[in-house]
Amino acid sequence: MAGVSSCMKYSMFIFNFVFWVCGSVILGVSIWIRVSKDAQQDLEIDSSLFAGANLLIAVGSIIMVLGFLGCCGAIKESRCMLLLFFIGLLLILILQITAGILGAVYKSQAEKSLKEALQAAVSSLQSSTEQAKVFQEKFQKFERENKCCGLLNGPEDWGKNFNTGSNKVCECEVNSRSTDLCRVYRSRSVYKTPCGDVILEYIKDHLLIVVGIAFGLAVIEIIGLGFSMSLYCQIQRK
């Protein structure tokens, strides 16, 4: 009877040990962010971002479990663990492919939803409530950093609040006053690009990074599937 390839066995073990370590790091950091008040203050994380931390906790836990199954399945030559590892990895790969297809199919709807969310935020720029004022202060900082104005329609989005407050809304910095960046509105030089365009461009740029990472993960997952099934078959023939 054919034996189990030591090279494949220990390659599988090392592959999944690295997998397990990555899962442990993700889980540890995400739990620290979720429960540590100091971390939340240092990283400027509020309760609205807890969903992301919870998602990372779930992802880290799944990676740790799969890494454990792969390591133990390889070193102990356990067909049961290897099969569970294969099924788990296959389900993740199927979910990634499904998410990619859904993202492509509903791309226009996602863009429409984002624009609706930006339109809803415009009302906060025109409001005079205390909660709206907090949002406006943060948004003015965003405008200065990204050299943009308003969300969808430029300075018009600020309505009556355009000339209120000690900070002049959307005003171009002296060294940035050019026809490419600025335009005149109500006798003031303001940034011409709506911040909604900046946000959309940011999402598109980083979407390519996400797609690249997803593609790289898919390749690694396919390699893991091949290793685990090959090792499973070798143990079965042993």
Side-chain angles (χ1 to χ4, degrees), residues 3-204:
V4 177
S5 170
S6 296
C7 178
M8 183 170 291
K9 176 179 174 178
Y10 288 106
S11 295
M12 180 75 177
F13 175 81
I14 293 169
F15 172 82
N16 282 285
F17 180 74
V18 173
F19 206 53
W20 180 83
V21 169
C22 290
S24 301
V25 171
I26 293 171
L27 182 62
V29 171
S30 54
I31 290 175
W32 173 65
I33 290 173
R34 185 67 177 82
V35 302
S36 173
K37 298 295 183 183
D38 293 335
Q40 292 165 17
Q41 291 175 357
D42 293 341
L43 299 174
E44 297 182 355
I45 295 173
D46 56 28
S47 58
S48 63
L49 298 177
F50 282 169
N54 293 337
L55 179 62
L56 285 175
I57 290 172
V59 169
S61 301
I62 292 169
I63 291 174
M64 276 190 69
V65 171
L66 287 176
F68 173 79
L69 289 172
C71 280
C72 292
I75 209 71
K76 292 182 175 294
E77 298 183 10
S78 169
R79 286 192 298 157
C80 179
M81 286 186 171
L82 287 172
L83 186 60
L84 287 172
F85 172 82
F86 179 87
I87 293 170
L89 209 56
L90 182 62
L91 287 174
I92 291 174
L93 183 60
I94 291 171
L95 286 173
Q96 280 182 229
I97 294 171
T98 304
I101 293 171
L102 290 174
V105 171
Y106 294 103
K107 181 182 177 182
S108 59
Q109 292 187 17
E111 290 179 353
K112 182 181 177 182
S113 298
L114 178 60
K115 287 182 179 179
E116 288 175 353
L118 292 175
Q119 186 62 54
V122 169
S123 61
S124 295
L125 295 180
Q126 299 175 357
S127 176
S128 58
T129 64
E130 290 301 318
Q131 186 177 4
K133 287 179 180 177
V134 173
F135 172 76
Q136 289 164 15
E137 288 178 5
K138 292 181 178 179
F139 188 71
Q140 285 182 57
K141 182 180 178 182
F142 180 85
E143 288 179 325
R144 288 192 295 271
E145 290 175 350
N146 293 277
K147 295 180 171 57
C148 58
C149 181
L151 280 165
L152 297 173
N153 307 304
E156 291 88 347
D157 289 340
W158 282 93
K160 295 179 180 179
N161 289 332
F162 180 74
N163 287 318
T164 59
S166 56
N167 294 323
K168 293 185 177 180
V169 174
C170 299
E171 185 169 24
C172 283
E173 297 175 359
V174 175
N175 57 356
S176 301
R177 290 180 179 176
S178 68
T179 55
D180 294 332
L181 284 174
C182 309
R183 69 184 178 97
V184 176
Y185 178 77
R186 294 186 186 177
S187 303
R188 280 175 48 192
S189 180
V190 298
Y191 293 117
K192 63 170 23 175
T193 305
C195 292
D197 292 352
V198 175
I199 294 169
L200 284 171
E201 193 65 30
Y202 177 87
I203 292 173
K204 288 178 181 177

